[in-house]
Amino acid sequence: MTITSSIIFVFTSLLFLSGYVLQQQTVRNLQRAIHPPPPPRPSVSPQNATTAKKMKVFGDPIRMEVGGPNQQYMGSEKLELEPAWTSLAYTQLLRHHIDVCDAVMVFAELARQGSPAQRLLLYPQDWDDGSSSDGAQGRIDTSRRLLHMAARRFDVLLLPIGPMFEGAEDAVDLAYPTAGLLSLTRFERLLFFESSGLLLNAGAMDELLASPTDFPITVYAENTASKINFPPSAVVIQPSMQSYHKAMTFIIGTHTGSADSILEMTSVRGNSLDSPYLVSQTFSLALEGEGFNASNYLNQAAYVQLADPAILGPEYDIPRNIFWQARPRQHEARRIWEDLYELYRTERMDICGLDLEPMPTDTP
């Protein structure tokens, strides 16, 4: 009996290990497939501007502050770029501690793929004071560690900001509205990604960032995005004080801070027929039919937001039964969907040193 049990245990262990090795090989194959070498830099018009260092209040134009308390975290190497690229920046706006690692993962991939654009990370200035209504002390310490790592390793400019309106700290979308980025007139264009995503092709997004638009705010979303209520995956912003004051008037009157609410200033663009997956969201994989081509998806996708109605977020340790029920039905789409979630989990650990978050206790 003991020998039989031992044999069963050995074979079960071997079966588990073989499955694990196969899964990791799949993840490595996906990483190689979605990380193409960056294309040549697109041509953009140079724009002279002074170097940005630190903001005092969200909504004020960035002003120079050399030798300030965050000087050591300002990523000075990025300031030596050719003038054409010093006016273009990838910008992440943090409101919650849970989103810090997402932003760092994006900047890590931009650095790995050699994007020449600047990288800005805006965050509530009370995080520097050690106080926050968003989490416990452990979360604040983790956020600080990740912010400083982003500056040191990935040449990210850290910009602590105050709330847009006095007493609005608890309503973070209103206190730190995306439209407030219109005030960063030191830059010609900014590209903002919605959190919980994976940057797959920085070169394609560089071209998007370098292309002028006709609107102050241009929202990029998958053509199917309107069918489910998720925020747009990418937003290109062309700052100007005229647009900023117009946006603030709208926000004050409607008490909403979302970029896509300012309809008269916003252009909404879906992916082109040539690149239907350029900016994608994982929930659309559930809509794919038998004609879905996984290779085309990986070749075209530049930024994928991991967003599904039944999933709280890729940052969380989702119960296995919920995770399996949320998967797409089509075989190839399901494989890509699973691999994207696994890649996110792997990079969250490799880059940020963080495991998945436990599910909140108030989650139904």
Side-chain angles (χ1 to χ4, degrees):
M1 182 67 179
T2 302
I3 296 177
T4 303
S5 300
S6 300
I7 293 174
I8 293 174
F9 174 77
V10 169
F11 278 97
T12 302
S13 300
L14 290 174
L15 182 62
F16 170 79
L17 290 174
S18 63
Y20 176 79
V21 170
L22 180 62
Q23 180 191 55
Q24 294 305 306
Q25 183 64 42
T26 301
V27 171
R28 286 192 292 271
N29 290 340
L30 179 62
Q31 289 173 318
R32 285 194 291 267
I34 66 179
H35 289 157
R41 297 178 181 180
S43 175
V44 295
S45 301
Q47 174 174 315
N48 295 325
T50 57
T51 298
K53 284 297 177 183
K54 185 180 179 182
M55 280 183 68
K56 293 294 187 181
V57 178
F58 196 25
D60 290 343
I62 294 182
R63 53 176 73 88
M64 179 82 79
E65 185 173 327
V66 177
N70 288 320
Q71 177 70 33
Q72 59 180 317
Y73 302 123
M74 289 299 170
S76 58
E77 293 180 9
K78 292 298 291 181
L79 305 180
E80 299 173 2
L81 291 172
E82 58 192 74
W85 284 102
T86 60
S87 64
L88 304 175
Y90 289 94
T91 305
Q92 292 302 101
L93 171 60
L94 298 177
R95 304 179 180 95
H96 306 282
H97 292 291
I98 190 70
D99 298 326
V100 178
C101 181
D102 292 328
V104 175
M105 287 166 58
V106 167
F107 290 130
E109 194 58 31
L110 287 169
R112 196 195 70 81
Q113 295 191 34
S115 170
Q118 292 206 53
R119 303 156 201 158
L120 306 179
L121 185 52
L122 286 70
Y123 64 95
Q125 64 185 6
D126 62 4
W127 292 6
D128 285 339
D129 302 331
S131 61
S132 173
S133 59
D134 185 76
Q137 186 62 43
R139 283 190 176 274
I140 298 175
D141 293 341
T142 298
S143 293
R144 286 173 169 176
R145 173 181 67 82
L146 294 175
L147 290 172
H148 296 163
M149 181 187 71
R152 289 193 303 268
R153 292 179 55 185
F154 309 126
D155 295 322
V156 176
L157 302 177
L158 302 182
L159 302 178
I161 55 175
M164 180 70 70
F165 306 106
E166 193 69 29
E169 292 86 346
D170 293 335
V172 290
D173 288 339
L174 183 60
Y176 308 102
T178 305
L181 298 174
L182 288 165
S183 69
L184 306 187
T185 54
R186 147 61 184 109
F187 298 97
E188 182 179 344
R189 268 184 305 282
L190 306 170
L191 178 52
F192 167 80
F193 291 118
E194 187 61 35
S195 61
S196 304
L198 289 168
L199 177 65
L200 309 182
N201 188 337
M205 300 313 295
D206 285 342
E207 293 183 3
L208 196 68
L209 175 60
S211 303
T213 63
D214 296 329
F215 287 80
I217 301 173
T218 303
V219 171
Y220 290 87
E222 206 164 1
N223 294 329
T224 57
S226 61
K227 297 179 181 179
I228 300 179
N229 187 26
F230 281 122
S233 300
V235 180
V236 173
I237 293 175
Q238 296 191 138
S240 75
M241 292 312 297
Q242 179 181 1
S243 298
Y244 166 70
H245 289 306
K246 187 175 182 181
M248 291 308 101
T249 300
F250 182 91
I251 291 174
I252 292 172
T254 61
H255 299 286
T256 179
S258 59
D260 56 348
S261 298
I262 311 172
L263 298 178
E264 68 273 18
M265 300 174 59
T266 303
S267 171
V268 179
R269 296 187 180 181
N271 294 330
S272 67
L273 294 177
D274 295 333
S275 300
Y277 304 117
L278 180 68
V279 177
S280 302
Q281 295 171 313
T282 51
F283 75 78
S284 66
L285 288 169
L287 307 177
E288 297 290 349
E290 291 305 317
F292 175 75
N293 188 306
S295 296
N296 287 343
Y297 183 92
L298 293 177
N299 289 334
Q300 295 175 12
Y303 183 78
V304 180
Q305 182 187 356
L306 277 66
D308 293 275
I311 304 292
L312 181 61
E315 306 89 352
Y316 294 97
D317 188 9
I318 305 298
R320 181 55 52 181
N321 63 317
I322 296 178
F323 187 82
W324 280 60
Q325 291 173 7
R327 297 179 306 166
R329 293 177 179 270
Q330 205 275 342
H331 175 71
E332 287 294 301
R334 182 169 65 246
R335 180 176 62 84
I336 294 296
W337 188 91
E338 292 175 345
D339 289 347
L340 287 170
Y341 271 90
E342 177 62 18
L343 179 61
Y344 181 95
R345 184 195 66 80
T346 301
E347 294 201 351
R348 178 178 165 88
M349 174 58 73
D350 292 347
I351 296 172
C352 303
L354 297 177
D355 205 344
L356 296 179
E357 297 281 336
M359 291 284 289
T361 55
D362 57 350
T363 301

